[in-house]
Amino acid sequence: MTKVPSELLYTKEHEWVRQEDGLVRVGITDYAQEELHEIVMVELPSVGTRVKVGDVFGTVDSVKATSELFSPISGEVVEANEKLEEAPELVNNDPYGEGWMVAIKSSAPDELKGLLSAADYEKFIEGLEK
Amino acid sequence: MTSSQLLTTHLHDWHVAHGAKMVEFAGFHMPLWYKAAVPEHLATRTAAGIFDVTHMGRAMITGPEATQYLEYLLPTRIQRLETGEGTYSTFCTMKGGIVDDLFLFRLAENEYYVVVNGANRKKDFAWMNKHADGFKVKVANISDITPMFALQGPAAVMILQKLTTTDLSSVPRFSSIQIKLDGHEVIATRSGYTGEDGFEIAQLNVSLDEKEKAVNLWNRILDKGQEEGLVPVGLAARDTLRLEAGMVLYGNDINEQTSPYQARIGFIVHLKKKTFLGREALVTEKQEKPQQLRIGLIMLGKGIPRTGNPISSKGEMIGEVTSGSISPLIKKGVGLGYVQRAFRKSDTLVHVEIGKRKRWAEVIHPKRMLSRLKALASSKN
């Protein structure tokens, strides 16, 4: 079963967003990692990069294809998961935990209102599977 | 196309029962991977892998003028092949473009076995039949009654040896033998599409109605290879294996607009032959030297080249990527592509433009790609 933790927010580009103390942590969903299958390379922005909502901030490569990562929110990248450099498979093994990608200090917290709830995201991926 | 409209191989139900992710390839419903491509790839490099390659096309060419026919049809020298010997070759158009690449084996004085790409089956048989006019020759399509497996990897020969008393180690590279494996008649050729040692095995006279015969042989080989670490391998790893070995994929790296010289497989062209299809164009091309040449690419840092990515040098476009993926050996991107002649030399540094970024890559002759990757992999460990 595809996991969609209820406490997170989601995008239609299959990213999840976790609100933490003053920042948001971002990764790709269980559905996304299953679809991509073996993730062999992850490229993330350096700390300090400024992103706007919808910007491409990185790429994820599977054996078959390259996919872009779109920022779910505007702000400044304050952390990037360096472990993924050596162990991109963490995204497959633990997409909501050790496979997180970046933490962003939001400059427009209102943007979070535009994201999907877990229930809405579940409906969205059910629609894709039909 | 839905899966019910696709062709199936004798092994189809076995693949499904073993959890393979199934995809359409060359009109067949084929396994992309069983568990995952990278471990299947690495098992083939370090131990052995077995591949269902029944989707490929197989022809038997016989008749008193079989040799003359093939000398005309192919740019390669055929006459000198001893019984059992084989060669890589291509069908060429009058313009010297590649209709398909193939392997050919001389089974007897007037009997040849030809293996072509699955995706080109129809086109190739039409081509072979069209040009057979005027020769005393018969081109038989045996694809549907010859399930075909590839057994590849450093342990492949040792594993196969357990199923026959014929000494397999004495079969030269690119040669064939007809033997019985566990009671099944096969043509076994010491060839493959991975850069590793091994055999490709076509089981003779087994129609889809008797598919259990193919499943039995497949299972017997898997069983015999258990202690060596033999695993079934899907198409995704087949692609990364051939890519690391710098081998061309028809439709990606070669087509009717590329010639053997551009693709740097010119060794198959024997211009001393006075008559063969495409000769005039190839003579001219050799004299004028092709301006675009196929190269291998090894990424220096991040980024994975993909088909269609531009290749540039100092901001100028010099070519294009035709195949690319991860190299499981070095965990970096590798690719094949074509560049202007001046940039063909090994160690030339070029940019591959991936998305909006320019990534450094090292050029290497496709033939030397696998040995370089293996050296890089062992220095890393």
Side-chain angles (χ1 to χ4, degrees):
Chain A
M1 257 313 275
T2 307
K3 288 182 209 131
V4 183
S6 60
E7 71 277 16
L8 305 181
L9 296 172
Y10 298 88
T11 71
K12 288 189 175 179
E13 278 82 35
H14 307 287
E15 280 133 2
W16 57 260
V17 171
R18 178 182 289 125
Q19 291 172 264
E20 293 177 3
D21 237 2
L23 48 84
V24 296
R25 199 165 297 276
V26 178
I28 66 167
T29 64
D30 193 32
Y31 176 86
Q33 72 77 18
E34 261 177 38
E35 284 293 301
L36 294 170
H37 206 249
E38 290 166 278
I39 291 165
V40 292
M41 200 179 280
V42 176
E43 190 162 17
L44 300 174
S46 42
V47 168
T49 306
R50 297 203 153 268
V51 290
K52 280 206 230 87
V53 65
D55 279 359
V56 173
F57 72 81
T59 55
V60 174
D61 278 282
S62 67
V63 173
K64 295 307 260 182
T66 304
S67 310
E68 294 182 320
L69 296 165
F70 300 92
S71 186
I73 196 158
S74 306
E76 184 185 334
V77 176
V78 289
E79 289 176 51
N81 188 354
E82 286 170 12
K83 277 194 190 168
L84 301 183
E85 184 107 359
E86 282 303 308
E89 66 276 10
L90 289 174
V91 181
N92 289 123
N93 299 341
D94 190 9
Y96 299 112
E98 281 205 275
W100 67 276
M101 291 180 174
V102 292
I104 297 172
K105 191 164 186 216
S106 167
S107 57
D110 269 5
E111 287 172 355
L112 289 172
K113 290 179 192 154
L115 300 177
L116 303 175
S117 68
D120 289 343
Y121 179 66
E122 250 175 291
K123 264 184 229 152
F124 174 67
I125 56 177
E126 266 169 40
L128 297 177
E129 276 163 359
K130 269 170 202 160
Chain B
M1 215 183 313
T2 66
S3 58
S4 62
Q5 292 167 296
L6 294 174
L7 300 169
T8 56
T9 70
H10 304 63
L11 266 297
H12 176 268
D13 295 351
W14 191 96
H15 301 317
V16 173
H18 287 77
K21 157 100 175 159
M22 301 297 286
V23 293
E24 186 275 335
F25 185 76
F28 284 80
H29 201 213
M30 297 295 285
L32 188 59
W33 53 68
Y34 297 87
K35 288 191 186 73
V38 171
E40 289 168 18
H41 177 115
L42 295 172
T44 308
R45 289 265 179 257
T46 55
I50 186 166
F51 308 67
D52 179 10
V53 291
T54 306
H55 63 287
M56 301 195 74
R58 286 163 295 282
M60 205 62 87
I61 295 173
T62 53
E65 290 179 350
T67 305
Q68 293 92 308
Y69 162 67
L70 290 165
E71 289 284 18
Y72 168 70
L73 189 67
L74 303 171
T76 312
R77 194 153 66 150
I78 304 301
Q79 232 161 349
R80 68 172 173 94
L81 293 175
E82 304 269 357
T83 298
E85 280 185 345
T87 181
Y88 181 58
S89 190
T90 63
F91 300 128
C92 283
T93 65
M94 294 306 279
K95 289 179 177 171
I98 300 172
V99 176
D100 200 6
D101 63 337
L102 59 105
F103 260 101
L104 168 145
F105 302 90
R106 189 174 205 168
L107 301 184
E109 178 67 20
N110 291 320
E111 187 180 6
Y112 294 86
Y113 166 58
V114 175
V115 182
V116 299
N117 280 297
N120 290 337
R121 270 188 188 196
K122 234 178 143 176
K123 174 173 93 164
D124 290 342
F125 278 98
W127 186 262
M128 286 187 278
N129 285 321
K130 177 180 159 191
H131 295 289
D133 264 4
F135 289 99
K136 286 181 192 129
V137 68
K138 188 179 157 218
V139 178
N141 184 346
I142 58 164
S143 310
D144 294 337
I145 51 162
T146 47
M148 183 176 176
F149 317 141
L151 182 62
Q152 301 278 296
V157 177
M158 200 187 348
I159 293 166
L160 203 61
Q161 189 64 72
K162 297 180 192 178
L163 288 168
T164 174
T165 52
T166 307
D167 176 21
L168 295 177
S169 66
S170 65
V171 178
R173 187 98 183 128
F174 305 131
S175 278
S176 62
I177 46 164
Q178 284 173 278
I179 51 171
K180 274 194 173 177
L181 280 182
D182 201 36
H184 301 277
E185 279 208 45
V186 305
I187 300 173
T189 64
R190 198 158 187 176
S191 54
Y193 196 41
T194 61
E196 299 297 329
D197 195 3
F199 279 89
E200 291 174 296
I201 301 150
Q203 211 177 350
L204 298 176
N205 294 313
V206 179
S207 72
L208 269 177
D209 296 336
E210 322 166 273
K211 57 185 167 197
E212 66 284 353
K213 286 188 181 171
V215 176
N216 287 345
L217 180 58
W218 170 274
N219 277 330
R220 278 289 279 168
I221 298 171
L222 265 175
D223 194 39
K224 290 288 177 195
Q226 211 173 15
E227 53 183 325
E228 283 84 2
L230 173 64
V231 297
V233 182
L235 291 174
R238 182 169 157 83
D239 190 51
T240 50
L241 285 158
R242 70 92 193 168
L243 189 62
E244 279 188 343
M247 293 171 168
V248 293
L249 171 63
Y250 193 88
N252 274 50
D253 312 303
I254 51 171
N255 56 43
E256 291 189 13
Q257 271 67 54
T258 55
S259 75
Y261 290 124
Q262 287 165 19
R264 291 168 112 185
I265 50 171
F267 60 88
I268 63 152
V269 182
H270 186 67
L271 287 181
K272 284 187 188 143
K273 281 205 305 192
K274 288 296 162 238
T275 323
F276 64 85
L277 281 172
R279 184 177 182 276
E280 276 175 44
L282 290 171
V283 166
T284 309
E285 191 174 355
K286 187 165 193 193
Q287 278 166 356
E288 290 174 0
K289 292 186 176 162
Q291 291 311 300
Q292 291 278 322
L293 288 167
R294 187 172 67 96
I295 47 134
L297 294 163
I298 300 175
M299 304 308 290
L300 299 187
K302 288 232 168 188
I304 293 183
R306 304 286 183 183
T307 305
N309 287 157
I311 304 171
S312 64
S313 172
K314 292 173 189 154
E316 236 175 278
M317 297 309 237
I318 57 162
E320 196 175 287
V321 174
T322 51
S323 285
S325 189
I326 184 86
S327 159
L329 276 182
I330 62 161
K331 313 273 182 224
K332 281 189 176 149
V334 290
L336 294 173
Y338 282 79
V339 293
Q340 292 168 15
R341 188 174 185 85
F343 297 91
R344 75 187 182 281
K345 291 200 174 120
S346 290
D347 301 330
T348 304
L349 293 183
V350 296
H351 276 128
V352 178
E353 305 199 354
I354 304 170
K356 284 176 189 155
R357 305 177 114 138
K358 292 180 202 280
R359 305 294 200 176
W360 285 110
E362 174 191 324
V363 170
I364 186 160
H365 193 292
K367 273 208 109 165
R368 285 203 290 277
M369 190 132 102
L370 185 57
S371 56
R372 171 70 66 93
L373 293 173
K374 284 185 170 177
L376 287 170
S378 64
S379 70
K380 214 167 121 182
N381 293 331

